[in-house]
Amino acid sequence: DLSGSITTPDVKLNLGGEFIKESTATTFLRQRGYGWLLEVEDDDPEDNKPLLEELDIDLKDIYYKIRCVLMPMPSLGFNRQVVRDNPDFWGPLAVVLFFSMISLYGQFKVVSWIITIWIFGSLTIFLLARVLGGEVAYGQVLGVIGYSLLPLIVIAPVLVVVGSFEVVSTLIKLFGVFWAAYSAASLLVGEEFKTKKPLLIYPIFLLYIYFLSLYTGV
């Protein structure tokens, strides 16, 4: 009669000086060339980024730029040049979309028209600035023009309240346009334009007048 027991042999794998105990199944797979089934990929830190960071959205930066546009007075101490020198896309796009919502009262089909005006209006200002000798990039103009729509958004609820008073409504509209145009022009019209400033300020002013006219629909 034969009696006894068979114990599973311990197989150790040497990885960088450290011995790791492997089971018989693991050893069997490695010997048959199927060790790749046991491999575990390391997590890539690039894949674990938050969504806002993945989309390059900085909410604090956007909030600061909004304050710079709404309060363009130099005495307030804001570094307003950050709106021009560090342009972004998502902040101006959000402002333009919000402007579209409140000005057209839910006519979603014309939102694309307002975005088109923003893109090609900014392109016109950019080309004119370059012709006049200004050193500005299209992305900078796009961001400044988009952010500077904020004053028109601010006066929107006021126009709803005083809409029946034509004189007061007209004055508020003019104030909003001047506010928006001044905020944009003070960032885009630098010292390099010298005596040519009116040639760039005027089309900026006209662009915001057109944006204001969209309150009544397209």
Side-chain angles (χ1 to χ4, degrees):
D1 294 337
L2 299 176
S3 63
S5 62
I6 299 176
T7 59
T8 304
D10 291 339
V11 180
K12 295 183 179 180
L13 181 66
N14 187 351
L15 295 176
E18 296 183 359
F19 291 93
I20 301 175
K21 184 177 180 180
E22 285 191 342
S23 65
T24 304
T26 302
T27 305
F28 176 79
L29 289 175
R30 292 189 184 279
Q31 291 176 347
R32 297 300 186 276
Y34 295 102
W36 56 271
L37 294 173
L38 305 173
E39 295 179 358
V40 179
E41 294 184 359
D42 295 332
D43 291 335
D44 188 354
E46 295 293 330
D47 297 334
N48 297 326
K49 289 184 177 180
L51 179 60
L52 293 180
E53 185 178 347
E54 191 73 25
L55 296 176
D56 196 21
I57 299 176
D58 189 342
L59 296 179
K60 291 183 178 179
D61 181 60
I62 292 174
Y63 174 67
Y64 185 81
K65 291 176 180 178
I66 289 175
R67 295 172 65 190
C68 290
V69 170
L70 291 179
M71 294 177 282
M73 290 74 70
S75 58
L76 295 177
F78 289 108
N79 181 20
R80 301 187 66 246
Q81 286 301 119
V82 72
V83 182
R84 170 177 170 170
D85 297 339
N86 186 26
D88 65 289
F89 176 74
W90 297 108
L93 179 62
V95 173
V96 173
L97 290 176
F98 187 56
F99 172 78
S100 304
M101 295 299 101
I102 67 171
S103 62
L104 299 175
Y105 305 103
Q107 300 180 43
F108 297 105
K109 61 183 179 180
V110 293
V111 171
S112 59
W113 173 247
I114 290 184
I115 295 178
T116 301
I117 295 300
W118 168 48
I119 293 175
F120 285 97
S122 300
L123 179 61
T124 302
I125 301 298
F126 163 70
L127 293 176
L128 184 57
R130 297 294 290 185
V131 168
L132 294 176
E135 297 180 0
V136 62
Y138 176 61
Q140 294 175 325
V141 178
L142 197 67
V144 170
I145 295 297
Y147 273 118
S148 296
L149 276 174
L150 285 167
L152 300 185
I153 295 176
V154 171
I155 68 171
V158 182
L159 291 176
V160 174
V161 176
V162 301
S164 57
F165 303 96
E166 185 175 351
V167 176
V168 178
S169 178
T170 301
L171 291 176
I172 292 176
K173 289 178 181 179
L174 288 175
F175 172 74
V177 171
F178 276 108
W179 186 3
Y182 173 77
S183 183
S186 60
L187 290 169
L188 294 177
V189 182
E191 293 298 327
E192 66 269 22
F193 291 101
K194 296 181 180 179
T195 59
K196 301 176 182 178
K197 289 183 179 181
L199 296 177
L200 190 59
I201 295 175
Y202 181 65
I204 293 175
F205 181 72
L206 291 181
L207 181 60
Y208 286 109
I209 287 180
Y210 184 73
F211 274 121
L212 180 67
S213 69
L214 297 180
Y215 275 125
T216 57
V218 177

